[in-house]
Amino acid sequence: MAALGAWGSALVPARLSRVARALWGWRARRGLVQDAGTADEGKATKPSFEDETVQNLLYKMTGLNLQKVFRPVKKELKPPKYKLMTEAQLEEATRKAIEEAKEKLIMPPVLKEREPIDDVLAEDKFLEGTETTKYVFTDLTYSIPHRERFIVVREPNGVLRKATWEERDRMIQIFFPKEGRRVIPPVVFKDEHLGTVFRQDRHEDILNMCIAQFEPDSPDYIRVHHRTYDDIEKHAKYDLLRSTRHFGGMVWYLVNRKKTDGLLIDMIQRDLLDDATSLITLYHMLHPECQSAKEAKERKLQGVDLIKVFVKTESQKEGYIQLALQAYEEAMATSTAS
Amino acid sequence: MVQLGSRLLRGYRGGHVVIRFALGGCTNRPFFRIVAAHSRRARDGKYLEQLGCLDPLPNAHGERVAGLNLERLRHWLGCGAQLSRPAEKLLGLAGFLPLHPMTVTGAERLRRRAQEAAAPPADGPAGPGDAP
């Protein structure tokens, strides 16, 4: 809710780059995007999450189910409003709805885990024994970004050090509270309680809560996201995240770890062949040294042939995918025949 | 109604701007606001600007939380504000100003007193034992 509120003020609902850069772009300027420093070698050898081509592929796979995106969110109860419209007005309203949906589907960034802060500013050993508890000083200047804020800790042994990331997040939430974020993270994010959430099929809700609570490069954020993706992959509940902003991140995670078989089967069973081909294209972009990538480049395969080559060389669950493909082709044959 | 206003609309003779602590909170629960105010004003009275806060009681994580608006602090110091001694000590601990000499002196005194408390009991039982 909070993150969406901030995103509602975006200027033009462009699909990814402009709005995404306006929201998350300051992080790039502050050097948070990991490939900023190694831009040249990075683009040549390994595509990153933020690349245009990668984002396009992930966006295509996410799908755009308006019913699901604008599904009623629990708000205060108001009676529904009915409007009488002409065809042209209806088309205009649908077009605006699609643009708003695109804004809601902007993918949150995927970053590496942040390095722990370990910086001592002063050592005054003669202060040892004067105090029993530490002091945490926060700079409350309004105009500096939170990443550059000075938060220092004076320990009882006299050492003046920079605050750790957890202390920083807590202090910033105390003095500059953000909606949807708690000072102490809710207990639901602990591993033993995530299982309960997954059993209730509320993966999307927990991911939204996680985005509101944690910073994208914090270890808790990454851990919760990875657990969610692993659970979805184990139980093949891919449809829960389809047409949400988390789908791209999930696909990126699975492709990086080469666990794409379940997703491929799911796509073929739902007759989403384009998505399947984009998935395999993404796989080849990320793992160009694998055999199916080389074959695909040599013979310039498209569509079902690409999937067949991929299945033969790379996948573990070859049998299942062959079955699914067969079922799909039979369905296509009967539908064209009838 | 005029009686209410007279405390707030006072004009003082002399005095200067100080940055000091204003005490708030409840019984057995102090809370300080770091405040720029005229020196002749009441401690908790009308101030010019609040520059931060300090919670002297440790929280659940065992830390005493203090916030300081350094930009405005620098502005008031540039305008010639004085600092009270506790405010100077706090800023010394924060690292914004150098450590206050009384902080160092206080630490030394504490250590000396702790040593004296430890040393005489060691000498005490040994003393009468040495005497015949």
Side-chain angles (χ1 to χ4, degrees):
Chain A
M1 255 66 71
L4 289 177
W7 293 3
S9 62
L11 317 152
V12 177
R15 191 157 66 159
L16 37 95
S17 309
R18 246 182 299 164
V19 181
R21 233 179 275 135
L23 298 165
W24 307 108
W26 64 270
R27 293 172 189 268
R29 265 172 288 169
R30 302 278 179 247
L32 267 181
V33 175
Q34 251 67 31
D35 44 337
T38 59
D40 301 321
E41 321 97 82
K43 283 192 188 112
T45 52
K46 190 173 167 39
S48 88
F49 189 69
E50 320 283 334
D51 289 343
E52 287 265 354
T53 35
V54 172
Q55 285 280 317
N56 281 336
L57 285 170
L58 292 174
Y59 180 75
K60 258 198 298 178
M61 282 194 262
T62 307
L64 193 68
N65 183 0
L66 287 175
Q67 298 300 325
K68 188 169 176 190
V69 173
F70 292 113
R71 168 192 55 199
V73 173
K74 274 210 179 105
K75 280 186 183 169
E76 50 172 284
L77 207 54
K78 273 186 285 192
K81 282 188 254 187
Y82 297 99
K83 288 186 191 167
L84 196 59
M85 289 198 230
T86 62
E87 280 282 339
Q89 280 173 336
L90 184 64
E91 272 168 27
E92 175 71 26
T94 325
R95 198 181 54 78
K96 265 199 221 157
I98 289 178
E99 283 182 5
E100 267 183 50
K102 281 183 192 164
E103 211 179 285
K104 283 198 176 187
L105 289 180
I106 294 173
M107 295 178 226
V110 174
L111 303 168
K112 281 198 214 114
E113 217 174 289
R114 54 195 179 192
E115 302 289 334
I117 303 180
D118 207 3
D119 205 3
V120 169
L121 300 172
E123 297 223 11
D124 299 313
K125 287 294 172 188
F126 47 81
L127 287 179
E128 187 139 8
T130 47
E131 313 277 351
T132 46
T133 43
K134 47 186 166 164
Y135 276 101
V136 180
F137 297 100
T138 317
D139 182 10
L140 301 181
T141 314
Y142 195 67
S143 56
I144 46 174
H146 289 320
R147 291 272 163 167
E148 292 171 15
R149 210 168 272 284
F150 278 116
I151 301 184
V152 296
V153 175
R154 174 75 77 171
E155 299 272 0
N157 60 4
V159 155
L160 185 68
R161 60 167 175 87
K162 287 192 182 171
T164 59
W165 282 111
E166 290 79 37
E167 287 167 355
R168 284 190 68 92
D169 286 337
R170 240 186 315 122
M171 290 301 128
I172 289 173
Q173 180 57 18
I174 288 175
F175 288 111
F176 302 98
K178 195 169 143 198
E179 206 197 312
R181 196 178 275 208
R182 297 247 190 110
V183 176
I184 301 176
V187 190
V188 75
F189 290 117
K190 295 216 170 95
D191 285 329
E192 51 266 23
H193 300 118
L194 281 177
T196 327
V197 177
F198 296 152
R199 246 170 276 137
Q200 295 174 355
D201 276 355
R202 296 179 63 179
H203 300 76
E204 196 196 335
D205 298 332
I206 192 85
L207 285 181
N208 284 336
M209 276 178 70
C210 180
I211 291 182
Q213 178 66 38
F214 299 114
E215 295 282 307
D217 52 359
S218 80
D220 285 311
Y221 177 100
I222 294 172
R223 175 183 57 88
V224 171
H225 272 78
H226 287 187
R227 290 267 188 289
T228 317
Y229 299 150
D230 286 332
D231 184 82
I232 290 182
E233 204 254 328
K234 201 165 75 167
H235 301 286
K237 294 180 187 167
Y238 304 101
D239 205 43
L240 285 173
L241 289 194
R242 198 166 267 133
S243 205
T244 61
R245 55 189 171 145
H246 311 292
F247 195 77
M250 180 180 75
V251 171
W252 180 260
Y253 173 79
L254 295 174
V255 172
N256 267 322
R257 280 155 185 76
K258 300 195 178 181
K259 289 187 191 166
T260 49
D261 298 326
L263 185 57
L264 204 52
I265 297 173
D266 185 76
M267 282 173 174
I268 298 174
Q269 279 172 348
R270 289 178 204 270
D271 295 339
L272 298 164
L273 260 287
D274 300 328
D275 288 354
T277 41
S278 1
L279 177 65
I280 297 174
T281 326
L282 186 66
Y283 189 99
H284 292 165
M285 275 170 68
L286 277 176
H287 304 282
E289 71 287 347
C290 74
Q291 202 194 347
S292 70
K294 291 184 195 140
E295 274 186 47
K297 226 166 71 166
E298 280 167 38
R299 308 197 299 201
K300 297 219 186 333
L301 300 167
Q302 300 292 332
V304 190
D305 304 317
L306 193 62
I307 307 179
K308 287 192 179 138
V309 165
F310 179 79
V311 164
K312 256 182 270 174
T313 50
E314 290 301 322
S315 62
Q316 268 87 37
K317 299 187 191 164
E318 218 180 299
Y320 292 103
I321 308 187
Q322 299 279 15
L323 271 174
L325 267 176
Q326 262 181 357
Y328 172 76
E329 275 162 359
E330 279 164 22
M332 289 296 293
T334 48
S335 67
T336 48
S338 60
Chain B
M1 298 305 115
V2 183
Q3 295 151 348
L4 278 179
S6 62
R7 294 262 172 179
L8 300 173
L9 299 173
R10 278 202 71 162
Y12 291 96
R13 176 183 177 272
H16 47 90
V17 178
V18 281
I19 298 173
R20 61 188 182 194
F21 292 173
L23 178 64
C26 308
T27 316
N28 290 324
R29 202 335 175 179
F31 185 83
F32 295 105
R33 279 168 294 153
I34 302 163
V35 130
H38 273 112
S39 61
R40 296 294 189 94
R41 278 275 181 199
R43 182 196 67 191
D44 299 339
K46 184 175 171 188
Y47 49 80
L48 298 162
E49 188 179 348
Q50 179 176 353
L51 304 172
C53 56
L54 164 69
D55 179 7
L57 300 187
N59 66 5
H61 299 266
E63 30 186 62
R64 274 175 280 190
V65 173
L68 304 159
N69 192 337
L70 295 179
E71 192 213 324
R72 295 304 297 170
L73 200 63
R74 260 180 268 139
H75 169 264
W76 282 110
L77 289 173
C79 288
Q82 310 268 333
L83 286 164
S84 69
R85 195 168 303 155
E88 276 180 352
K89 287 188 172 171
L90 188 75
L91 291 178
L93 282 183
F96 185 66
L97 294 177
L99 264 190
H100 198 259
M102 285 309 291
T103 323
V104 181
T105 317
E108 280 174 10
R109 285 179 187 167
L110 216 83
R111 201 163 298 128
R112 208 180 316 131
R113 228 164 277 149
Q115 275 176 352
E116 282 166 19
D123 293 338
D130 284 342

